[in-house]
Amino acid sequence: MTRLTGRFAVFTAFLLTIGSPALAQDRSESGKPGPGNDRSLLSDVSDKEFSLRSRPLFDGTVLAGWEGNAYWFHTEGTAVVAGRLSERIPENQFLCTTETFGDFDLRMEVRMRGTDPNAGVQFRSRRPRSSDKIPANEVIGYQADMGNAWGRSVWGALYDESRRRKMLVEPDTPFEVQWSQTQPDSSTEEASGEPRDGCEPGESGVPESQWVPMRIVCKKDQIEIFLDGHRTIQYTETDPEIPRFGVIGLQIHSGPPAEAWYRNIRILSL
C-alpha cells in the first residue's frame, strides 16, 4: 500500500471529510426507507410540473373510463365513494380504470369512514380470468393499503392482492392518521373551511379520518408509496413474471359498514 505524505495527504483527508456526509446520505437512501423520507428516488417531477403535465383520471363528476359494481361506488361532491355506511360489505369491491399504465406518478387524496375500515389503491393490476379461479369481483396486483387490518394500521403498506396474498413491505413506523367523529346536524363546512363531503345529518358517531395525500410512483422494477409527503415504503420487484403494467383500482374491503373516499386523482406517465 502506498503511504500518502505531506500536502497531498492533507488534501486527500479534506476530500474524504467533506465527502463523508454525502456518502452517508447515499447509503441511508439506498436502505429501507422510513416515514421521514420525502423525496422520490424514482422521479424528479416537482409539484408544479406535476400539476401542469398530469391528467385527471376522474373529472369530479362522472365515472367515465372506470368499471365496477355501481351499487358499491358512487360520486359525492368531487369524490369517488366506495362502500356504504348503511350495510355490511359482503365481499371486496374494486372500481378499475379501463386503461392500463406502466411507469407513472399517481397522486390523489384519500380518507376512510367507519369503524376499523380497510381499503386501498390497486395499481399494475388486472381483473381475473376464468382460469385464475378467483371471483370476478376481485383484482390481481399491487395495492397501496389504507386503514386497519389484522388489528394494526396498514396505512402506506404494499399488499399483493389475489396473487401472493401477503404484505410485501410495511412502514417501519405506523403512519399516524387523525380521526374524528361526525356529529348530528353538523355544519357542512370542515374546520378548514372546505366542504364536508357526504356528512349527512343523522350520521352521528361515525369515525372519519382526515384527508390524506397519497402518492404512488412506479418505474421499472421499483415502487414507492408516499402519504402526506412522506415515503412509507420502497420496494423492488425481483420476480420477472410479475407484470410491470396494469389498471388502477379503488378498493373497499369486505367487512363492517365503511366508506373509502378518493378525490383529485391525477396521473403522469414517466
Side-chain angles (χ1 to χ4, degrees):
M1 177 181 292
T2 302
R3 183 172 181 177
L4 304 178
T5 59
R7 294 181 180 178
F8 185 72
V10 174
F11 180 68
T12 302
F14 174 73
L15 288 178
L16 291 173
T17 300
I18 64 173
S20 296
L23 291 173
Q25 182 178 13
D26 287 344
R27 284 194 296 269
S28 67
E29 290 182 346
S30 65
K32 188 175 182 181
N37 293 281
D38 57 5
R39 183 175 65 85
S40 172
L41 304 179
L42 307 179
S43 171
D44 58 1
V45 176
S46 66
D47 292 345
K48 182 178 180 180
E49 183 180 2
F50 182 85
S51 66
L52 292 174
R53 294 178 52 206
S54 64
R55 63 183 175 93
L57 291 182
F58 170 57
D59 66 5
T61 305
V62 296
L63 294 173
W66 297 80
E67 58 84 14
N69 188 329
Y71 184 80
W72 294 107
F73 295 92
H74 70 278
T75 62
E76 187 82 29
T78 59
V80 178
V81 182
R84 289 173 176 256
L85 292 174
S86 59
E87 61 184 285
R88 185 176 180 84
I89 303 162
E91 57 187 9
N92 294 349
Q93 296 292 339
F94 300 86
L95 183 73
C96 297
T97 60
T98 56
E99 184 178 354
T100 60
F101 304 89
D103 295 347
F104 57 81
D105 188 336
L106 174 67
R107 306 186 192 187
M108 68 186 77
E109 293 173 288
V110 301
R111 77 170 178 182
M112 301 291 300
R113 303 185 72 201
T115 302
D116 207 30
N118 178 260
V121 177
Q122 292 289 140
F123 57 97
R124 288 184 169 179
S125 302
R126 66 172 175 85
R127 290 288 190 183
R129 309 180 187 98
S130 58
S131 59
D132 293 317
K133 298 181 180 180
I134 294 172
N137 60 285
E138 282 286 348
V139 297
I140 300 170
Y142 300 110
Q143 178 174 284
D145 242 309
M146 301 156 47
N148 301 316
W150 306 295
R152 66 180 186 271
S153 170
V154 292
W155 285 91
L158 179 63
Y159 183 72
D160 200 24
E161 183 81 30
S162 297
R163 189 165 50 199
R164 288 167 285 198
R165 294 183 174 88
K166 67 177 184 179
M167 285 292 183
L168 300 176
V169 61
E170 296 186 56
D172 289 334
T173 303
F175 181 80
E176 297 294 334
V177 178
Q178 298 296 319
W179 289 81
S180 61
Q181 298 280 119
T182 60
Q183 299 298 321
D185 300 317
S186 61
S187 169
T188 57
E189 298 293 317
E190 292 181 330
S192 65
E194 288 186 271
R196 193 182 178 90
D197 295 327
C199 183
E200 299 294 338
E203 291 183 357
S204 175
V206 177
E208 175 180 280
S209 80
Q210 68 187 97
W211 281 104
V212 179
M214 175 181 279
R215 181 185 184 191
I216 302 167
V217 185
C218 292
K219 193 167 185 180
K220 298 181 179 178
D221 299 335
Q222 303 290 321
I223 296 171
E224 295 176 320
I225 298 175
F226 296 80
L227 293 179
D228 199 20
H230 301 290
R231 187 171 66 245
T232 58
I233 67 96
Q234 181 185 5
Y235 176 74
T236 301
E237 183 55 71
T238 59
D239 187 344
E241 300 300 317
I242 299 295
R244 269 60 169 178
F245 65 93
V247 301
I248 306 296
L250 310 179
Q251 188 219 41
I252 185 67
H253 201 282
S254 63
E259 290 178 346
W261 290 58
Y262 306 89
R263 71 181 183 186
N264 297 329
I265 309 167
R266 302 185 66 89
I267 195 166
L268 174 66
S269 294
L270 298 178

